[in-house]
Amino acid sequence: MDKSSPHDLAQMRKSYELAELDEAQVAPEPIDQFHRWFDEAVRAKALEPNAMTVATVGADGRPSTRVLLLKGADAQGLVWFTNYESRKGHDLAANPFAAMQFFWGELERVVRIEGRVERVSDQESDAYYGSRPLGSRIGAWVSPQSRVLSSRSELEAAWARQQAALGDDPPRPPHWGGYRLVPDRWEFWQGRPSRLHDRIVYQRLADGTWQRQRLAP
């Protein structure tokens, strides 16, 4: 045991026993399987079921991750909104591929998705921006996301200035909008006892159909 830690990390483990996942149970289309599990996560009152970890890789080859909120999911792909000038925005400009992961611990489930990333249309970004609370819309103008700030007060002062300048109906900033990950690979992971977890992967084939396979845990 590491004497610098009050926890015996080597002995921390959980047996997953809530459910199972079989090839015969999953939907033919991965987006349908995703919605099935997402709905179950909502019913299970998972903490922010649309929270996901998104991984990108920059021009220097270094990966980075962050937690974002999913705001759209259909046959076209999975959508989130952010500052295009953030670190992830620069990463995606250099390398337009990403991976995302949902962890629903209440159901002992993980969903992993990989694919190419593209910007959504201006119309989609405008529509979502207009649906946000006013404070969040002003915040999109204020935050130089991922850049160094001298203090919290600098950010709050900028927010107050923009609130006065923009009023109650600010337009969408040109540096802010949506991305869509267009999947070519999905994995659905269900925890099982003895670490013999169920893993079903969907891989997009050249003709656009999906191949389903079981992976070793």
Side-chain angles (χ1 to χ4, degrees):
M1 179 176 175
D2 182 356
K3 299 301 183 181
S4 66
S5 171
H7 308 292
D8 187 352
L9 298 179
Q11 297 304 315
M12 294 178 69
R13 59 178 56 86
K14 171 180 170 57
S15 180
Y16 298 107
E17 301 177 354
L18 289 180
E20 61 184 36
L21 184 65
D22 188 81
E23 293 88 327
Q25 298 174 326
V26 297
E29 295 290 324
I31 188 62
D32 295 330
Q33 180 64 31
F34 176 78
H35 281 299
R36 183 184 298 174
W37 271 20
F38 186 86
D39 291 345
E40 292 178 11
V42 172
R43 291 197 295 270
K45 301 186 184 304
L47 178 63
E48 291 206 276
N50 61 329
M52 58 188 182
T53 300
V54 175
T56 56
V57 177
D60 58 359
R62 291 179 65 94
S64 64
T65 66
R66 72 287 295 163
V67 176
L68 303 172
L69 295 177
L70 180 71
K71 292 300 179 179
D74 57 24
Q76 295 182 71
L78 297 100
V79 174
W80 72 92
F81 295 86
T82 190
N83 187 318
Y84 291 141
E85 297 176 356
S86 62
R87 180 177 178 180
K88 57 187 169 296
H90 287 293
D91 284 359
L92 290 169
N95 182 9
F97 291 88
M100 57 176 58
Q101 176 172 291
F102 295 83
F103 173 58
W104 297 313
E106 295 84 352
L107 297 173
E108 300 175 352
R109 288 174 175 170
V110 173
V111 181
R112 300 171 61 203
I113 309 121
E114 301 172 20
R116 186 175 183 88
V117 177
E118 60 189 23
R119 289 192 184 187
V120 306
S121 68
D122 287 344
Q123 292 79 8
E124 289 176 88
S125 291
D126 288 342
Y128 176 70
Y129 180 80
S131 74
R132 303 180 87 205
L134 177 59
S136 298
R137 281 180 278 158
I138 295 172
W141 280 96
V142 170
S143 175
Q145 194 173 102
S146 301
R147 299 178 189 173
V148 175
L149 292 174
S150 61
S151 66
R152 171 81 187 185
S153 60
E154 175 189 353
L155 188 65
E156 293 174 346
W159 193 95
R161 289 194 301 271
Q162 288 289 5
Q163 181 186 36
L166 294 170
D168 293 335
D169 189 23
R172 176 175 63 89
H175 59 264
W176 190 97
Y179 287 105
R180 175 181 288 108
L181 185 147
V182 181
D184 54 34
R185 181 184 175 91
W186 295 73
E187 182 185 324
F188 294 86
W189 181 99
Q190 176 69 62
R192 297 294 302 277
S194 301
R195 295 299 188 259
L196 299 179
H197 309 305
D198 289 328
R199 297 176 63 189
I200 304 297
V201 65
Y202 293 74
Q203 191 76 41
R204 186 185 289 278
L205 302 179
D207 63 1
T209 61
W210 293 96
Q211 179 185 53
R212 284 176 289 168
Q213 295 175 304
R214 174 176 287 273
L215 300 182

